[in-house]
Structure formats: structure tokens, C-alpha cells
Amino acid sequence: MTGNVPLLEMRNLAVRRGGSEVLQMPSFVLHENKTVALIGPNGSGKTSLLLALARLLDSVSGELCYRGVPVPEGRAAVEYRRKLAMVFQEPLLFDLTVEDNVAAGLKLRGMAKAELQQRVAASMERFKIAHLAKRSARKLSGGEGQRTSLARAFAAQPEVILLDEPFSSLDPLARKTLIEDFGVSLHAAGGAAVIASHDREEVYRLADWVLVLEEGRVIQAGSPDEIARQPANPYVAAFFGL
């Protein structure tokens, strides 16, 4: 991966949970307009890395820099977090309409009504849920709920989107179309992303760079094609269908 000052950089990251070290990473770099995919078996540290990048974990050591400037911890990290959006495997939606869910983050920021409405409408259109604007979030299918979650994330116009297996609970057709729509939207917005995945289609479609994690360590890094050509172990070979 090339570039000058990275958008995000983590140095000497260590995460401890329950008295045990679950993630140890000497360096992590994310450049603008790039997507890094995290692959590895359950418990390998993918979610811990995402939460550490979002400054949402305690018991973390190491330095996180945003555009070369160290990011503080605690409440002082609020401004940094506003530059991020995070999307989880299960949509975390309020008991409100789709439109109000997409607007939620913008309302918390105190955005003027006219701009808020414009952003919400554009984001719902981008993820093809404008016709669901007045529907209760409780009445959405899994795919519709995840589209709403992604629309909410994009409405905030984040510089980085962190995604924890966001498509894994969807049926094959819904997953395929949403991966495509997400990729197009991310490219159009000019954003960067870090995505934890168990699906090689997502990795090939979205990722510029892949990190393979095992027991909290990076055991291989490279482009999807590089890793597919020389997998580090049987898990990686199986992931890429070899």
C-alpha cells in the first residue's frame, strides 16, 4: 500500500480481555480511498481490531494516529469518532421509521434541517430504500435493515467506515446485491473502509489489501490475488477456494 501520511495508523497495538492478550499488532495502516479486509477464524482478533480503531475498547495500549496526529483516549476522542462510522453484523436500529433511523446520527450532531433532509434523502436513494422511508424499522427484512444501517452510516459522510461482517447474515441474493451497492457507494463517496469478513466474494469485490489474523497476530498480508496465490496455511487456502 502506498501513499504519504496514512489516513489511520496504529502502532504497537495490544488488546487485553479477561487478563489475556487477544490482539498484538506492531503496525496497521489505512490509506485514503482504500479498503482493508480482515480475515481469520472466529476469535482471531478481527472485531477487537475494529473496536480499537474506533477507540471503543479499554485495556488497549499503543498509539493511534489520524492523518499523522495522535488520537487521544476517552472523551477527548469524540471529535475523532465523528469522522468514523461503524456497521455491525446485525443492524442496530431504533424503534423508529427508516427515515428517522438514517437521520439519527445527523440529529445528534445538531445539523440544520435542510441539509439533514437532503443528506437523508440522498443516502436512502443510494441504498435503494427511499420507498421505505416511513416504514417502521421493526417491519424490515434483514436486507432492508442492513441497507438502513449502511444508509445511516453514509449519511454522516465519514472518512472511514468500519464493518464487522455486515453481510454475513443475509441470504445469497441479498448479500450479492448489497455488496455491489456498498462498493459503488464507497467508491462514489471516496471513503476508506476496514471490513471483517468470512466471505471471499466480499474480499475480492471490495478489498485492496488483506490482513490474515490468527490468535491475535497478523500471519499474512497482501493483495487478495497475492494471498490467494501463496496462502499461509490451510485456513487461508480454504477461504480462497483452493
Side-chain angles (χ1 to χ4, degrees):
M1 299 175 72
T2 60
N4 296 320
V5 177
L7 183 59
L8 287 183
E9 184 174 11
M10 179 70 85
R11 307 185 191 110
N12 300 315
L13 170 65
V15 177
R16 298 184 68 82
R17 286 183 169 179
S20 300
E21 189 173 81
V22 297
L23 184 63
Q24 200 283 325
M25 185 173 293
S27 66
F28 172 86
V29 174
L30 176 68
H31 290 281
E32 289 188 81
N33 305 318
K34 298 295 183 181
T35 295
V36 174
L38 311 175
I39 69 171
N42 292 333
S44 60
K46 302 185 298 296
T47 299
S48 293
L49 176 55
L50 292 174
L51 294 174
L53 290 172
R55 276 287 193 244
L56 293 175
L57 277 184
D58 296 324
S59 302
V60 174
S61 61
E63 184 179 42
L64 174 63
C65 293
Y66 168 76
R67 297 190 182 278
V69 178
V71 176
E73 297 185 17
R75 294 180 62 85
V78 170
E79 287 303 315
Y80 162 73
R81 289 198 194 104
R82 287 178 175 172
K83 303 178 188 300
L84 312 178
M86 193 159 186
V87 178
F88 297 91
Q89 181 176 344
E90 297 296 331
L92 301 178
L93 302 178
F94 300 109
D95 186 14
L96 302 167
T97 65
V98 167
E99 184 176 48
D100 286 336
N101 268 281
V102 176
L106 305 182
K107 289 180 178 179
L108 288 174
R109 289 167 169 78
M111 182 172 290
K113 186 176 181 179
E115 184 179 359
L116 183 149
Q117 291 176 333
Q118 182 180 24
R119 281 208 203 177
V120 168
S123 201
M124 289 193 299
E125 189 68 33
R126 171 177 282 165
F127 283 96
K128 302 174 183 175
I129 55 171
H131 63 292
L132 303 174
K134 302 302 181 183
R135 182 178 296 183
S136 168
R138 287 188 171 184
K139 297 181 179 179
L140 299 176
S141 68
E144 291 167 345
Q146 200 60 294
R147 285 180 178 275
T148 300
S149 185
L150 287 166
R152 179 172 60 194
F154 273 80
Q157 297 182 355
E159 295 196 43
V160 180
I161 297 184
L162 307 174
L163 307 106
D164 194 0
E165 300 185 36
F167 313 114
S168 62
S169 63
L170 305 180
D171 65 72
L173 180 58
R175 180 167 62 245
K176 181 177 181 179
T177 57
L178 189 49
I179 290 171
E180 183 68 24
D181 289 344
F182 171 77
V184 170
S185 297
L186 185 65
H187 178 75
V194 184
I195 179 169
S197 178
H198 278 297
D199 186 276
R200 68 173 175 268
E201 181 183 355
E202 294 174 26
V203 172
Y204 272 121
R205 173 65 182 82
L206 301 174
D208 301 290
W209 197 251
V210 179
L211 298 181
V212 182
L213 278 70
E214 185 176 272
E215 297 183 349
R217 305 289 193 276
V218 175
I219 63 167
Q220 192 170 10
S223 70
D225 286 338
E226 289 170 345
I227 291 180
R229 285 197 299 268
Q230 293 185 311
N233 61 25
Y235 170 86
V236 182
F239 182 94
F240 285 96
L242 303 177

